[in-house]
Amino acid sequence: MNSIRLRGPATSANVGPGYDIFAMALKEPYDEMLLELTNDNAITINFEGDSQNIPITIEDNTAGLAILELKKRYKPDLGVKVTITKHMTSGCGLGTTGTSASSAIYGLNKMLQLNLSDNELVDLARMGEIASGGSPHADNVAAAMLGGFILIKDYHPIDVLKLQMPEFPVVLAVIKKTQRTTRGFITYEIGPDKLKDQMARCSRVIHAIHTRDAEEFGKAISVDHIAEPVRSAVIANYNETKAKVLAAGAFGSTVSGGGSSVITICPAHLQDEIAAIMESGLKGNPNFVKIIKTTTSNTGVCEM
Ligand code: HSE
């Protein structure tokens, strides 16, 4: 096998209270990647269609950096040509950069028959995230690699658990963030009361998945004392829009990953109404891209 064409899903990380430890895959949107093995011992990155100004220098590209790590650990003479087709808007907190890293590692593992474990795959892919957010967090890449709902059980060494995720209806307001990353503004100094609430909500998220309870899941993700206060502060009309979607019957709403997209979980019959409320509340933002109606998904990167 000398080439492979892959489809990699959008992911939503943190999922409310689970900063850097929770993420889930979404059915739409997705990106595509073509990997072709070469004999020149070099990694090259190209885009088919709009590159969205994503760097193609290996060290500055999430797929490039992850492949470099795989080359260093397992295959020093690796040569590969990467062609990315972006259907997703990058820089919106939908894990698209992590998806590129995961797709590259998934495809190379197959083509080179490396037989790496899920944790080894995630550990390689997360190195790519250094090119995007400056830190090798594993939440987005794990959800893209494996699909479903991801709990990062341990970072030292990396140990991820995939939970089968019920297909919960989702509405996304896709909004581009204005900064590369806001991770530097996040504090863990939240005090004992908020810390207890945060831990309780993380437990509720996992319980809601086990009991397949969308309403409980939505309530649990709707409060986060760590990432949401920082990321929502730059989303005009965030609190008002969140209050409106909850009043209209949505189960829960929060900032997706590093922002500035907003993700809402709702009953299927309310998806159109919730989409309309989110659009009218958030479209005034100059970085607003579009509304997407989708669902959570158990499918990660896969061959096309
Ligand atoms: N956990 C990461 C963050 C996801 O919140 O920064 C975004 O890459």
Side-chain angles (χ1 to χ4, degrees):
M1 190 189 221
N2 284 321
S3 73
I4 190 167
R5 190 176 279 279
L6 303 157
R7 172 185 164 134
T11 60
S12 186
N14 304 334
V15 198
Y19 181 60
D20 279 356
I21 60 163
F22 289 169
M24 55 188 181
L26 302 174
K27 192 174 269 177
E28 304 270 345
Y30 62 89
D31 280 346
E32 291 173 48
M33 178 178 284
L34 173 66
L35 294 170
E36 296 165 283
L37 294 180
T38 59
N39 295 320
D40 56 4
N41 198 13
I43 304 166
T44 55
I45 296 175
N46 317 273
F47 283 88
E48 199 173 86
D50 185 5
S51 76
Q52 302 182 25
N53 294 322
I54 297 167
I56 55 166
T57 323
I58 308 308
E59 291 77 8
D60 298 327
N61 182 286
T62 54
L65 211 48
I67 296 171
L68 214 50
E69 190 64 27
L70 181 145
K71 194 172 155 89
K72 200 165 72 190
R73 290 190 202 174
Y74 302 105
K75 184 84 174 139
D77 62 345
L78 172 68
V80 61
K81 179 181 171 200
V82 182
T83 308
I84 302 170
T85 309
K86 299 283 308 169
H87 299 296
M88 309 197 266
T89 311
S90 182
C92 295
L94 293 174
T96 73
T97 51
T99 294
S100 292
S102 291
S103 297
I105 296 302
Y106 176 98
L108 288 170
N109 181 51
K110 278 218 143 177
M111 282 197 292
L112 303 172
Q113 298 181 334
L114 296 174
N115 297 317
L116 299 176
S117 68
D118 288 349
N119 283 333
E120 286 167 326
L121 294 173
V122 169
D123 195 39
L124 285 171
R126 78 189 178 106
M127 295 305 157
E129 291 283 35
I130 296 171
S132 143
S135 91
H137 51 274
D139 44 2
N140 284 119
V141 296
M145 187 74 79
L146 306 174
F149 185 94
I150 294 297
L151 163 63
I152 313 284
K153 291 196 295 181
D154 204 337
Y155 266 94
H156 309 288
I158 201 76
D159 189 3
V160 306
L161 176 70
K162 171 185 175 175
L163 300 177
Q164 287 296 318
M165 186 69 189
E167 267 200 11
F168 291 155
V170 166
V171 182
L172 294 172
V174 182
I175 302 172
K176 242 177 130 61
K177 60 176 157 281
T178 47
Q179 288 151 295
R180 183 166 156 263
T181 177
T182 49
R183 291 179 68 84
F185 297 105
I186 286 175
T187 176
Y188 291 98
E189 307 296 322
I190 56 176
D193 290 343
K194 287 182 178 172
L195 181 62
K196 284 181 213 167
D197 189 36
Q198 192 89 7
M199 290 192 292
R201 282 176 187 277
C202 284
S203 312
R204 285 175 64 180
V205 169
I206 301 296
H207 181 66
I209 294 167
H210 286 321
T211 53
R212 307 179 70 81
D213 185 339
E215 185 170 359
E216 173 64 8
F217 182 82
K219 282 186 182 150
I221 71 164
S222 272
V223 176
D224 163 34
H225 304 291
I226 295 177
E228 188 189 30
V230 172
R231 268 73 183 260
S232 66
V234 296
I235 307 172
N237 245 350
Y238 175 82
N239 290 323
E240 297 81 345
T241 308
K242 179 167 174 169
K244 279 187 191 158
V245 295
L246 295 180
F251 294 139
S253 189
T254 189
V255 177
S256 179
S260 292
S261 294
V262 179
I263 180 165
T264 300
I265 308 290
C266 63
H269 72 277
L270 289 180
Q271 219 174 4
D272 287 342
E273 190 185 331
I274 297 299
I277 296 171
M278 288 173 75
E279 179 156 22
S280 85
L282 300 168
K283 74 176 177 208
N285 190 317
N287 300 309
F288 176 87
V289 180
K290 61 177 163 183
I291 295 287
I292 296 177
K293 288 180 279 181
T294 183
T295 67
T296 51
S297 160
N298 286 304
T299 307
V301 175
C302 55
E303 268 184 85
M304 293 184 74

PDB file of all heavy atoms in Angstrom, residues 3-33:
ATOM      1  N   SER A   3      -0.444   4.486  -0.954  1.00  0.00           N
ATOM      2  CA  SER A   3      -1.207   5.721  -0.735  1.00  0.00           C
ATOM      3  C   SER A   3      -2.513   5.387  -0.024  1.00  0.00           C
ATOM      4  O   SER A   3      -2.993   4.249  -0.077  1.00  0.00           O
ATOM      5  CB  SER A   3      -1.485   6.439  -2.066  1.00  0.00           C
ATOM      6  OG  SER A   3      -2.465   5.737  -2.790  1.00  0.00           O
ATOM      7  N   ILE A   4      -3.035   6.396   0.649  1.00  0.00           N
ATOM      8  CA  ILE A   4      -4.289   6.194   1.382  1.00  0.00           C
ATOM      9  C   ILE A   4      -5.040   7.530   1.431  1.00  0.00           C
ATOM     10  O   ILE A   4      -4.419   8.591   1.599  1.00  0.00           O
ATOM     11  CB  ILE A   4      -4.011   5.631   2.804  1.00  0.00           C
ATOM     12  CG1 ILE A   4      -5.284   5.176   3.509  1.00  0.00           C
ATOM     13  CG2 ILE A   4      -3.269   6.623   3.673  1.00  0.00           C
ATOM     14  CD1 ILE A   4      -5.022   4.328   4.769  1.00  0.00           C
ATOM     15  N   ARG A   5      -6.355   7.461   1.219  1.00  0.00           N
ATOM     16  CA  ARG A   5      -7.181   8.685   1.298  1.00  0.00           C
ATOM     17  C   ARG A   5      -8.075   8.577   2.534  1.00  0.00           C
ATOM     18  O   ARG A   5      -8.716   7.541   2.742  1.00  0.00           O
ATOM     19  CB  ARG A   5      -8.031   8.843   0.032  1.00  0.00           C
ATOM     20  CG  ARG A   5      -8.728  10.182  -0.070  1.00  0.00           C
ATOM     21  CD  ARG A   5      -9.481  10.314  -1.378  1.00  0.00           C
ATOM     22  NE  ARG A   5      -8.629  10.683  -2.488  1.00  0.00           N
ATOM     23  CZ  ARG A   5      -8.222  11.919  -2.761  1.00  0.00           C
ATOM     24  NH1 ARG A   5      -8.612  12.929  -1.989  1.00  0.00           N
ATOM     25  NH2 ARG A   5      -7.447  12.168  -3.787  1.00  0.00           N
ATOM     26  N   LEU A   6      -8.074   9.624   3.346  1.00  0.00           N
ATOM     27  CA  LEU A   6      -8.735   9.564   4.652  1.00  0.00           C
ATOM     28  C   LEU A   6      -9.735  10.695   4.842  1.00  0.00           C
ATOM     29  O   LEU A   6      -9.607  11.770   4.234  1.00  0.00           O
ATOM     30  CB  LEU A   6      -7.680   9.671   5.765  1.00  0.00           C
ATOM     31  CG  LEU A   6      -6.579   8.612   5.723  1.00  0.00           C
ATOM     32  CD1 LEU A   6      -5.344   9.115   6.440  1.00  0.00           C
ATOM     33  CD2 LEU A   6      -7.073   7.320   6.328  1.00  0.00           C
ATOM     34  N   ARG A   7     -10.688  10.425   5.715  1.00  0.00           N
ATOM     35  CA  ARG A   7     -11.644  11.452   6.123  1.00  0.00           C
ATOM     36  C   ARG A   7     -11.489  11.595   7.635  1.00  0.00           C
ATOM     37  O   ARG A   7     -11.453  10.595   8.351  1.00  0.00           O
ATOM     38  CB  ARG A   7     -13.036  10.958   5.752  1.00  0.00           C
ATOM     39  CG  ARG A   7     -14.166  11.786   6.242  1.00  0.00           C
ATOM     40  CD  ARG A   7     -15.480  11.071   5.894  1.00  0.00           C
ATOM     41  NE  ARG A   7     -16.524  11.677   6.699  1.00  0.00           N
ATOM     42  CZ  ARG A   7     -17.706  12.055   6.256  1.00  0.00           C
ATOM     43  NH1 ARG A   7     -18.055  11.836   5.024  1.00  0.00           N
ATOM     44  NH2 ARG A   7     -18.571  12.631   7.053  1.00  0.00           N
ATOM     45  N   GLY A   8     -11.339  12.831   8.121  1.00  0.00           N
ATOM     46  CA  GLY A   8     -11.144  13.059   9.558  1.00  0.00           C
ATOM     47  C   GLY A   8     -12.162  14.051  10.083  1.00  0.00           C
ATOM     48  O   GLY A   8     -12.384  15.106   9.488  1.00  0.00           O
ATOM     49  N   PRO A   9     -12.829  13.712  11.210  1.00  0.00           N
ATOM     50  CA  PRO A   9     -13.953  14.533  11.677  1.00  0.00           C
ATOM     51  C   PRO A   9     -13.546  15.778  12.470  1.00  0.00           C
ATOM     52  O   PRO A   9     -12.447  15.835  13.036  1.00  0.00           O
ATOM     53  CB  PRO A   9     -14.677  13.566  12.621  1.00  0.00           C
ATOM     54  CG  PRO A   9     -13.572  12.755  13.221  1.00  0.00           C
ATOM     55  CD  PRO A   9     -12.544  12.583  12.123  1.00  0.00           C
ATOM     56  N   ALA A  10     -14.470  16.721  12.530  1.00  0.00           N
ATOM     57  CA  ALA A  10     -14.348  17.825  13.500  1.00  0.00           C
ATOM     58  C   ALA A  10     -14.513  17.235  14.891  1.00  0.00           C
ATOM     59  O   ALA A  10     -15.169  16.200  15.068  1.00  0.00           O
ATOM     60  CB  ALA A  10     -15.436  18.862  13.250  1.00  0.00           C
ATOM     61  N   THR A  11     -13.921  17.879  15.873  1.00  0.00           N
ATOM     62  CA  THR A  11     -14.082  17.437  17.262  1.00  0.00           C
ATOM     63  C   THR A  11     -14.357  18.652  18.139  1.00  0.00           C
ATOM     64  O   THR A  11     -13.984  19.779  17.790  1.00  0.00           O
ATOM     65  CB  THR A  11     -12.807  16.727  17.771  1.00  0.00           C
ATOM     66  OG1 THR A  11     -11.706  17.639  17.699  1.00  0.00           O
ATOM     67  CG2 THR A  11     -12.493  15.489  16.957  1.00  0.00           C
ATOM     68  N   SER A  12     -15.011  18.407  19.250  1.00  0.00           N
ATOM     69  CA  SER A  12     -15.256  19.493  20.198  1.00  0.00           C
ATOM     70  C   SER A  12     -14.600  19.101  21.515  1.00  0.00           C
ATOM     71  O   SER A  12     -14.999  18.101  22.136  1.00  0.00           O
ATOM     72  CB  SER A  12     -16.763  19.710  20.365  1.00  0.00           C
ATOM     73  OG  SER A  12     -16.993  20.834  21.173  1.00  0.00           O
ATOM     74  N   ALA A  13     -13.582  19.855  21.906  1.00  0.00           N
ATOM     75  CA  ALA A  13     -12.808  19.507  23.105  1.00  0.00           C
ATOM     76  C   ALA A  13     -13.329  20.240  24.334  1.00  0.00           C
ATOM     77  O   ALA A  13     -14.074  21.214  24.227  1.00  0.00           O
ATOM     78  CB  ALA A  13     -11.336  19.841  22.899  1.00  0.00           C
ATOM     79  N   ASN A  14     -12.947  19.740  25.464  1.00  0.00           N
ATOM     80  CA  ASN A  14     -13.292  20.239  26.810  1.00  0.00           C
ATOM     81  C   ASN A  14     -14.705  19.820  27.218  1.00  0.00           C
ATOM     82  O   ASN A  14     -14.936  19.431  28.345  1.00  0.00           O
ATOM     83  CB  ASN A  14     -13.118  21.755  26.945  1.00  0.00           C
ATOM     84  CG  ASN A  14     -11.703  22.208  26.593  1.00  0.00           C
ATOM     85  OD1 ASN A  14     -10.772  21.434  26.714  1.00  0.00           O
ATOM     86  ND2 ASN A  14     -11.544  23.438  26.151  1.00  0.00           N
ATOM     87  N   VAL A  15     -15.658  19.932  26.278  1.00  0.00           N
ATOM     88  CA  VAL A  15     -17.043  19.516  26.532  1.00  0.00           C
ATOM     89  C   VAL A  15     -17.501  20.063  27.890  1.00  0.00           C
ATOM     90  O   VAL A  15     -17.869  19.318  28.803  1.00  0.00           O
ATOM     91  CB  VAL A  15     -17.202  17.974  26.454  1.00  0.00           C
ATOM     92  CG1 VAL A  15     -18.680  17.606  26.268  1.00  0.00           C
ATOM     93  CG2 VAL A  15     -16.391  17.376  25.302  1.00  0.00           C
ATOM     94  N   GLY A  16     -17.439  21.384  28.021  1.00  0.00           N
ATOM     95  CA  GLY A  16     -17.804  22.037  29.282  1.00  0.00           C
ATOM     96  C   GLY A  16     -16.666  21.945  30.288  1.00  0.00           C
ATOM     97  O   GLY A  16     -15.604  22.538  30.104  1.00  0.00           O
ATOM     98  N   PRO A  17     -16.860  21.154  31.362  1.00  0.00           N
ATOM     99  CA  PRO A  17     -15.905  21.207  32.470  1.00  0.00           C
ATOM    100  C   PRO A  17     -14.603  20.430  32.274  1.00  0.00           C
ATOM    101  O   PRO A  17     -13.711  20.520  33.106  1.00  0.00           O
ATOM    102  CB  PRO A  17     -16.695  20.577  33.629  1.00  0.00           C
ATOM    103  CG  PRO A  17     -17.659  19.650  32.963  1.00  0.00           C
ATOM    104  CD  PRO A  17     -18.041  20.324  31.676  1.00  0.00           C
ATOM    105  N   GLY A  18     -14.464  19.691  31.170  1.00  0.00           N
ATOM    106  CA  GLY A  18     -13.308  18.783  31.053  1.00  0.00           C
ATOM    107  C   GLY A  18     -12.121  19.374  30.318  1.00  0.00           C
ATOM    108  O   GLY A  18     -11.644  18.799  29.335  1.00  0.00           O
ATOM    109  N   TYR A  19     -11.617  20.501  30.809  1.00  0.00           N
ATOM    110  CA  TYR A  19     -10.506  21.187  30.138  1.00  0.00           C
ATOM    111  C   TYR A  19      -9.311  20.248  29.929  1.00  0.00           C
ATOM    112  O   TYR A  19      -8.744  19.725  30.896  1.00  0.00           O
ATOM    113  CB  TYR A  19     -10.080  22.409  30.970  1.00  0.00           C
ATOM    114  CG  TYR A  19      -8.958  23.212  30.349  1.00  0.00           C
ATOM    115  CD1 TYR A  19      -9.103  23.793  29.093  1.00  0.00           C
ATOM    116  CD2 TYR A  19      -7.765  23.409  31.034  1.00  0.00           C
ATOM    117  CE1 TYR A  19      -8.084  24.537  28.526  1.00  0.00           C
ATOM    118  CE2 TYR A  19      -6.737  24.158  30.484  1.00  0.00           C
ATOM    119  CZ  TYR A  19      -6.907  24.710  29.221  1.00  0.00           C
ATOM    120  OH  TYR A  19      -5.882  25.445  28.661  1.00  0.00           O
ATOM    121  N   ASP A  20      -8.992  20.028  28.672  1.00  0.00           N
ATOM    122  CA  ASP A  20      -7.857  19.179  28.250  1.00  0.00           C
ATOM    123  C   ASP A  20      -8.047  17.684  28.525  1.00  0.00           C
ATOM    124  O   ASP A  20      -7.141  16.901  28.233  1.00  0.00           O
ATOM    125  CB  ASP A  20      -6.531  19.619  28.904  1.00  0.00           C
ATOM    126  CG  ASP A  20      -5.886  20.809  28.194  1.00  0.00           C
ATOM    127  OD1 ASP A  20      -6.416  21.242  27.160  1.00  0.00           O
ATOM    128  OD2 ASP A  20      -4.852  21.292  28.689  1.00  0.00           O
ATOM    129  N   ILE A  21      -9.198  17.269  29.117  1.00  0.00           N
ATOM    130  CA  ILE A  21      -9.367  15.826  29.369  1.00  0.00           C
ATOM    131  C   ILE A  21     -10.586  15.226  28.658  1.00  0.00           C
ATOM    132  O   ILE A  21     -10.686  14.010  28.560  1.00  0.00           O
ATOM    133  CB  ILE A  21      -9.432  15.479  30.879  1.00  0.00           C
ATOM    134  CG1 ILE A  21     -10.601  16.182  31.571  1.00  0.00           C
ATOM    135  CG2 ILE A  21      -8.116  15.803  31.574  1.00  0.00           C
ATOM    136  CD1 ILE A  21     -10.943  15.559  32.918  1.00  0.00           C
ATOM    137  N   PHE A  22     -11.524  16.071  28.168  1.00  0.00           N
ATOM    138  CA  PHE A  22     -12.685  15.550  27.444  1.00  0.00           C
ATOM    139  C   PHE A  22     -12.668  16.064  25.998  1.00  0.00           C
ATOM    140  O   PHE A  22     -12.252  17.208  25.748  1.00  0.00           O
ATOM    141  CB  PHE A  22     -14.016  16.058  28.032  1.00  0.00           C
ATOM    142  CG  PHE A  22     -14.418  15.493  29.372  1.00  0.00           C
ATOM    143  CD1 PHE A  22     -15.480  16.084  30.066  1.00  0.00           C
ATOM    144  CD2 PHE A  22     -13.791  14.395  29.922  1.00  0.00           C
ATOM    145  CE1 PHE A  22     -15.880  15.586  31.301  1.00  0.00           C
ATOM    146  CE2 PHE A  22     -14.177  13.892  31.159  1.00  0.00           C
ATOM    147  CZ  PHE A  22     -15.228  14.497  31.847  1.00  0.00           C
ATOM    148  N   ALA A  23     -13.188  15.257  25.094  1.00  0.00           N
ATOM    149  CA  ALA A  23     -13.450  15.714  23.721  1.00  0.00           C
ATOM    150  C   ALA A  23     -14.394  14.718  23.071  1.00  0.00           C
ATOM    151  O   ALA A  23     -14.515  13.571  23.530  1.00  0.00           O
ATOM    152  CB  ALA A  23     -12.167  15.802  22.907  1.00  0.00           C
ATOM    153  N   MET A  24     -15.080  15.157  22.019  1.00  0.00           N
ATOM    154  CA  MET A  24     -15.964  14.218  21.311  1.00  0.00           C
ATOM    155  C   MET A  24     -15.935  14.518  19.817  1.00  0.00           C
ATOM    156  O   MET A  24     -15.714  15.657  19.400  1.00  0.00           O
ATOM    157  CB  MET A  24     -17.389  14.291  21.864  1.00  0.00           C
ATOM    158  CG  MET A  24     -17.996  15.665  21.843  1.00  0.00           C
ATOM    159  SD  MET A  24     -19.579  15.654  22.720  1.00  0.00           S
ATOM    160  CE  MET A  24     -20.046  17.386  22.493  1.00  0.00           C
ATOM    161  N   ALA A  25     -16.135  13.450  19.038  1.00  0.00           N
ATOM    162  CA  ALA A  25     -16.141  13.600  17.582  1.00  0.00           C
ATOM    163  C   ALA A  25     -17.536  14.013  17.112  1.00  0.00           C
ATOM    164  O   ALA A  25     -18.539  13.679  17.743  1.00  0.00           O
ATOM    165  CB  ALA A  25     -15.745  12.275  16.935  1.00  0.00           C
ATOM    166  N   LEU A  26     -17.569  14.736  15.997  1.00  0.00           N
ATOM    167  CA  LEU A  26     -18.829  15.185  15.403  1.00  0.00           C
ATOM    168  C   LEU A  26     -18.970  14.560  14.011  1.00  0.00           C
ATOM    169  O   LEU A  26     -17.967  14.278  13.342  1.00  0.00           O
ATOM    170  CB  LEU A  26     -18.846  16.713  15.294  1.00  0.00           C
ATOM    171  CG  LEU A  26     -18.656  17.461  16.621  1.00  0.00           C
ATOM    172  CD1 LEU A  26     -18.533  18.966  16.368  1.00  0.00           C
ATOM    173  CD2 LEU A  26     -19.811  17.180  17.588  1.00  0.00           C
ATOM    174  N   LYS A  27     -20.223  14.370  13.587  1.00  0.00           N
ATOM    175  CA  LYS A  27     -20.450  13.750  12.272  1.00  0.00           C
ATOM    176  C   LYS A  27     -20.038  14.698  11.143  1.00  0.00           C
ATOM    177  O   LYS A  27     -19.442  14.282  10.161  1.00  0.00           O
ATOM    178  CB  LYS A  27     -21.934  13.381  12.147  1.00  0.00           C
ATOM    179  CG  LYS A  27     -22.214  12.485  10.971  1.00  0.00           C
ATOM    180  CD  LYS A  27     -23.663  12.025  10.955  1.00  0.00           C
ATOM    181  CE  LYS A  27     -23.832  10.727  11.709  1.00  0.00           C
ATOM    182  NZ  LYS A  27     -25.213  10.277  11.785  1.00  0.00           N
ATOM    183  N   GLU A  28     -20.347  15.948  11.270  1.00  0.00           N
ATOM    184  CA  GLU A  28     -19.979  16.984  10.304  1.00  0.00           C
ATOM    185  C   GLU A  28     -19.408  18.145  11.096  1.00  0.00           C
ATOM    186  O   GLU A  28     -19.837  18.327  12.237  1.00  0.00           O
ATOM    187  CB  GLU A  28     -21.219  17.512   9.553  1.00  0.00           C
ATOM    188  CG  GLU A  28     -22.034  16.475   8.840  1.00  0.00           C
ATOM    189  CD  GLU A  28     -21.570  16.251   7.411  1.00  0.00           C
ATOM    190  OE1 GLU A  28     -20.810  17.097   6.910  1.00  0.00           O
ATOM    191  OE2 GLU A  28     -21.960  15.244   6.842  1.00  0.00           O
ATOM    192  N   PRO A  29     -18.558  18.959  10.565  1.00  0.00           N
ATOM    193  CA  PRO A  29     -17.895  18.871   9.272  1.00  0.00           C
ATOM    194  C   PRO A  29     -16.686  17.928   9.350  1.00  0.00           C
ATOM    195  O   PRO A  29     -16.402  17.377  10.408  1.00  0.00           O
ATOM    196  CB  PRO A  29     -17.458  20.312   9.015  1.00  0.00           C
ATOM    197  CG  PRO A  29     -17.231  20.884  10.379  1.00  0.00           C
ATOM    198  CD  PRO A  29     -18.195  20.188  11.290  1.00  0.00           C
ATOM    199  N   TYR A  30     -15.970  17.786   8.232  1.00  0.00           N
ATOM    200  CA  TYR A  30     -14.793  16.925   8.204  1.00  0.00           C
ATOM    201  C   TYR A  30     -13.809  17.438   7.149  1.00  0.00           C
ATOM    202  O   TYR A  30     -14.178  18.241   6.290  1.00  0.00           O
ATOM    203  CB  TYR A  30     -15.192  15.471   7.901  1.00  0.00           C
ATOM    204  CG  TYR A  30     -15.839  15.302   6.546  1.00  0.00           C
ATOM    205  CD1 TYR A  30     -15.071  15.044   5.419  1.00  0.00           C
ATOM    206  CD2 TYR A  30     -17.213  15.443   6.389  1.00  0.00           C
ATOM    207  CE1 TYR A  30     -15.668  14.932   4.170  1.00  0.00           C
ATOM    208  CE2 TYR A  30     -17.810  15.319   5.152  1.00  0.00           C
ATOM    209  CZ  TYR A  30     -17.032  15.066   4.045  1.00  0.00           C
ATOM    210  OH  TYR A  30     -17.618  14.954   2.811  1.00  0.00           O
ATOM    211  N   ASP A  31     -12.564  16.975   7.238  1.00  0.00           N
ATOM    212  CA  ASP A  31     -11.535  17.276   6.234  1.00  0.00           C
ATOM    213  C   ASP A  31     -11.106  15.980   5.571  1.00  0.00           C
ATOM    214  O   ASP A  31     -11.394  14.892   6.078  1.00  0.00           O
ATOM    215  CB  ASP A  31     -10.293  17.905   6.893  1.00  0.00           C
ATOM    216  CG  ASP A  31     -10.480  19.386   7.186  1.00  0.00           C
ATOM    217  OD1 ASP A  31     -11.437  19.999   6.666  1.00  0.00           O
ATOM    218  OD2 ASP A  31      -9.652  19.928   7.947  1.00  0.00           O
ATOM    219  N   GLU A  32     -10.400  16.104   4.445  1.00  0.00           N
ATOM    220  CA  GLU A  32      -9.851  14.927   3.768  1.00  0.00           C
ATOM    221  C   GLU A  32      -8.341  15.046   3.685  1.00  0.00           C
ATOM    222  O   GLU A  32      -7.798  16.155   3.655  1.00  0.00           O
ATOM    223  CB  GLU A  32     -10.419  14.827   2.344  1.00  0.00           C
ATOM    224  CG  GLU A  32     -11.883  14.494   2.305  1.00  0.00           C
ATOM    225  CD  GLU A  32     -12.440  14.585   0.894  1.00  0.00           C
ATOM    226  OE1 GLU A  32     -11.823  14.036  -0.044  1.00  0.00           O
ATOM    227  OE2 GLU A  32     -13.490  15.224   0.733  1.00  0.00           O
ATOM    228  N   MET A  33      -7.683  13.894   3.609  1.00  0.00           N
ATOM    229  CA  MET A  33      -6.219  13.885   3.463  1.00  0.00           C
ATOM    230  C   MET A  33      -5.795  12.724   2.570  1.00  0.00           C
ATOM    231  O   MET A  33      -6.302  11.610   2.716  1.00  0.00           O
ATOM    232  CB  MET A  33      -5.557  13.751   4.840  1.00  0.00           C
ATOM    233  CG  MET A  33      -4.039  13.683   4.783  1.00  0.00           C
ATOM    234  SD  MET A  33      -3.301  13.593   6.432  1.00  0.00           S
ATOM    235  CE  MET A  33      -3.460  15.272   6.993  1.00  0.00           C
TER     236      MET A  33
END
